[in-house]
Amino acid sequence: MKKSFQFPPGFLWGCSTSAYQIEGSPLADGAGPSFWRRFSHTPHMMVGGDTGDVACDHYRRMEDDVRLMAGLGLNAYRFSISWARVLPEGTGKINQKGLDFYDRLVDALLGSAITPMVTLYHWDLPEALDNRGGWLNRKVADWFADYAAVCFRRLDDRVKLWVTLNEPWVVTDGGYLRGALAPGHRNLFETPIAGHNLLRSHARAVQVYRETGKHRIGLVVNIEPKHPASDSPQDAEAVDLAHAYMNRQYLDPVFHGRYPQKLRDVFGEAWPRWPADDLELIRRPIDFVGLNYYTRAVVHYDPDGYPDKAKPVPQRNATYTETGWEVYPQALTDTLLWLKENYGNPPIYITENGAAFYDPPTVEGDRLEDPLRQDYLKKHIKAAHAALDAGADLRGYFVWTLLDNLEWSQGFSKRFGLIHVNYATQKRTRKASADLYQRIVESNGQVLDEM
Ligand code: BGC
C-alpha cells in the first residue's frame, strides 16, 4: 500500500513567533525595557545595528497579521508574552495595557478558530530584573512564578496550551557563555547557575499552574542530535559530552530529577553542588514537550572544544541554510523517537522547525519563489510523520516562522518567514512556501502523498 501522510484528526498546524522578534514598539503603553532592548542598543552587538524598535510592527498591525494567519488556514499559533509589557519592573505593579494587547490577540485568534499556544519566556527578561542579577539571582524563580500567575489569571479562561520557557539551553549558552545574546556575558561559572535557575523558574510556574490553571503546560527545548565524525572512542566521547550539554541538560532534571553525569566533565570546576530540594522541585510532570528542531551536528573530539570538547565537522554534499545549519530531516524523526524512548512517550508538539534561505529585501508582485524553503518543509513534515508511524505521540507542528523577523543578534539579515517582510514599508508578501504550507494544513498532510 502507498504510504499516506495524513495526520491524525485534531492535529495542530501553526506558526511560531516571539514578542521581541516581531512586535516593535517595545516601550509603548507603559511597557518597561527588556534586556534585549538594551543589548540591541549596545554598539557592535547586532549585525547592521538592527534593533527590535520597529521589527515587524506587529504590536500595531496585530489584527492584519491574524488575518494573514487565517488566510494560511492555520488552526494554531504560538506567540510569546513580553514580561516587561505586563510587569514593567519585572515584579509588582501590573501594566494593564500591556496585558490588554495579549488579551486582544487571543480573542482575535479564537475569532478565526486559531488555537493559541502561549510562551511565557522567549528570551526578553525585564531589564529591571537583569539589574538585580536576572537569571543568576535565585529569587528569579519567585519573580517568574508571580509573572506567570498574572498571565494565567488573565488568559487561562481562553488559552489551553502554555509554555514556560523557550530553549533554556540557548538562553544560557548564548547569553551567559558566548555573549552573543542578551545579557552578553561570557562566563563559564555563571552558565550552569543561570540554567539551574531557569529550571527552578519553570518548575515554580508549573507549580502555580497546577493550583490555578485548568489546561496544559509544557517546556520548549531545542534538540540537535550529535553524530560522531568517526568510529574513534574520542569522537564517541565528544558526542556524549555535547549531547549531555545541549540535549539532556534540561530534560533529564524535569523528567528524571537529576542532571546528566557528563555535565561535570563539561563544566569542570564551574559545576556547582545543587541543593537536593531543588531537584525535587524541578522534577514534576509536565503535559507536553515542545521540540524545536532545525539541524543535527557531526562532531569530532577537540580538546579545545568549549565547553563540551565537540567540534562540528562540515559535511560534504549537504545543503546548508543561511544560518549555516545542515538540512537533515532524518534527525527530526530520530529526535521524536528519542524523546519517546527516554522520557516516557510524552505528548510532543514540534514548536519550531524552519529555515533561513536567502530572499531579497524587496519583492515585486504578489509572490516570492522560495524553492529551498519549500523543500525543507516538505521533507521535515514527512520526517515528522515517520515518527508518528513509529509511535511518537506527536500532536502538532509549528513552522518557524510566520513573518521574516529580527533574528536576534543577526538582525534582519536572516529570513525564516513564510511571509516576506519589506522592512522599509512593512509590506507583507506571501512566499511560495506559504502556499505549500496552506495546502498541507488544509489537507491535514495528505497533499504530501503526491510530493
Ligand atoms: C528560537 C527563535 C529563533 C530561531 C532561529 C530558535 O532558537 O526560538 O527565536 O529565531 O531558533 O534561529
Side-chain angles (χ1 to χ4, degrees):
M1 215 174 72
K2 196 166 170 268
K3 159 129 180 85
S4 170
F5 288 101
Q6 184 90 44
F7 281 72
F11 193 79
L12 292 189
W13 294 102
C15 286
S16 282
T17 64
S18 90
Y20 192 71
Q21 290 179 276
I22 65 168
E23 287 177 353
S25 309
L27 303 180
D29 298 329
S34 74
F35 70 177
W36 257 99
R37 183 178 179 280
R38 180 174 60 196
F39 185 84
S40 67
H41 280 243
T42 306
H44 311 301
M45 289 305 191
M46 304 286 290
V47 169
D50 292 336
T51 72
D53 289 0
V54 177
C56 306
D57 200 24
H58 170 76
Y59 189 72
R60 300 192 307 151
R61 294 166 194 261
M62 179 270 283
E63 273 95 4
D64 291 345
D65 288 339
V66 173
R67 272 192 284 278
L68 288 173
M69 295 175 212
L72 279 166
L74 305 187
N75 63 14
Y77 173 57
R78 170 175 173 248
F79 66 91
S80 77
I81 296 183
S82 153
W83 185 342
R85 284 201 196 283
V86 174
L87 298 166
E89 293 295 320
T91 59
K93 200 175 146 292
I94 299 173
N95 177 34
Q96 291 300 339
K97 283 193 170 163
L99 264 180
D100 290 347
F101 171 73
Y102 298 106
D103 199 282
R104 287 199 309 277
L105 170 57
V106 166
D107 283 347
L109 292 168
L110 293 174
S112 296
I114 299 172
T115 298
M117 178 186 276
V118 177
T119 304
L120 291 167
Y121 186 72
H122 199 128
W123 305 3
D124 47 357
L125 190 76
E127 185 181 306
L129 296 183
D130 190 50
N131 292 342
R132 295 160 72 184
W135 293 112
L136 300 172
N137 185 334
R138 274 184 72 87
K139 288 203 189 104
V140 72
D142 296 325
W143 304 335
F144 185 66
D146 291 347
Y147 155 62
V150 172
C151 298
F152 299 152
R153 220 178 298 131
R154 182 72 178 262
L155 299 173
D156 192 57
D157 57 339
R158 286 155 291 155
V159 172
K160 306 203 164 133
L161 290 168
W162 291 92
V163 169
T164 53
L165 309 173
N166 180 70
E167 300 187 354
W169 181 82
V170 178
V171 175
T172 64
D173 183 81
Y176 291 87
L177 185 70
R178 304 193 197 276
L181 303 176
H185 299 192
R186 286 169 163 224
N187 188 320
L188 182 69
F189 287 80
E190 288 180 358
T191 302
I193 296 171
H196 188 72
N197 285 331
L198 279 154
L199 277 172
R200 290 176 52 249
S201 303
H202 154 82
R204 288 277 293 111
V206 173
Q207 206 173 38
V208 170
Y209 194 71
R210 297 299 175 220
E211 289 155 15
T212 61
K214 294 194 180 52
H215 308 290
R216 296 190 294 134
I217 191 161
L219 172 69
V220 167
V221 288
N222 57 298
I223 303 293
E224 184 182 289
K226 307 293 178 186
H227 296 162
S230 78
D231 294 340
S232 74
Q234 288 90 337
D235 287 358
E237 173 69 0
V239 164
D240 285 354
L241 292 168
H243 184 53
Y245 176 51
M246 188 164 176
N247 300 331
R248 294 173 49 211
Q249 182 172 187
Y250 296 90
L251 290 175
D252 280 21
V254 169
F255 283 92
H256 305 315
R258 54 181 147 69
Y259 283 107
Q261 278 291 339
K262 288 274 175 200
L263 288 181
R264 286 161 216 273
D265 302 327
V266 170
F267 285 104
E269 61 170 335
W271 185 249
R273 255 178 203 281
W274 307 112
D277 290 358
D278 286 0
L279 283 142
E280 304 252 307
L281 169 74
I282 291 166
R283 178 191 202 163
R284 63 189 48 245
I286 55 175
D287 302 311
F288 62 89
V289 173
L291 166 67
N292 292 355
Y293 174 81
Y294 290 92
T295 190
R296 66 151 177 182
V298 178
V299 298
H300 85 90
Y301 187 88
D302 171 3
D304 299 325
Y306 184 68
D308 54 10
K309 307 276 185 284
K311 185 160 179 213
V313 181
Q315 297 303 291
R316 260 183 243 149
N317 301 322
T319 304
Y320 281 85
T321 69
E322 281 272 298
T323 45
W325 298 339
E326 185 192 357
V327 177
Y328 197 82
Q330 175 63 42
L332 173 57
T333 314
D334 300 345
T335 298
L336 290 163
L337 296 176
W338 174 75
L339 290 172
K340 170 181 186 289
E341 295 309 323
N342 285 278
Y343 300 109
N345 196 17
I348 305 171
Y349 295 90
I350 297 170
T351 36
E352 288 181 28
N353 176 239
F357 288 110
Y358 176 78
D359 298 313
T362 57
V363 188
E364 303 293 329
D366 65 354
R367 275 298 177 281
L368 178 67
E369 288 303 326
D370 61 339
L372 292 172
R373 188 173 294 101
Q374 292 184 63
D375 192 55
Y376 183 99
L377 293 177
K378 255 185 255 175
K379 289 185 172 144
H380 284 81
I381 295 171
K382 286 185 175 183
H385 197 280
L388 259 177
D389 282 344
D393 187 2
L394 180 64
R395 309 268 178 108
Y397 174 92
F398 295 71
V399 176
W400 185 268
T401 179
L402 178 70
L403 304 165
D404 291 338
N405 62 40
L406 183 86
E407 179 52 21
W408 304 110
S409 46
Q410 300 291 313
F412 299 110
S413 67
K414 308 289 175 217
R415 294 177 179 269
F416 280 84
L418 295 180
I419 297 177
H420 179 275
V421 177
N422 176 328
Y423 295 109
T425 60
Q426 289 298 334
K427 182 168 169 273
R428 274 89 162 121
T429 308
R430 277 171 64 137
K431 303 182 191 175
S433 56
D435 298 343
L436 168 76
Y437 192 52
Q438 182 173 351
R439 290 170 61 213
I440 294 173
V441 170
E442 290 180 347
S443 68
N444 202 21
Q446 211 180 356
V447 74
L448 290 167
D449 297 2
E450 283 103 59
M451 294 180 176

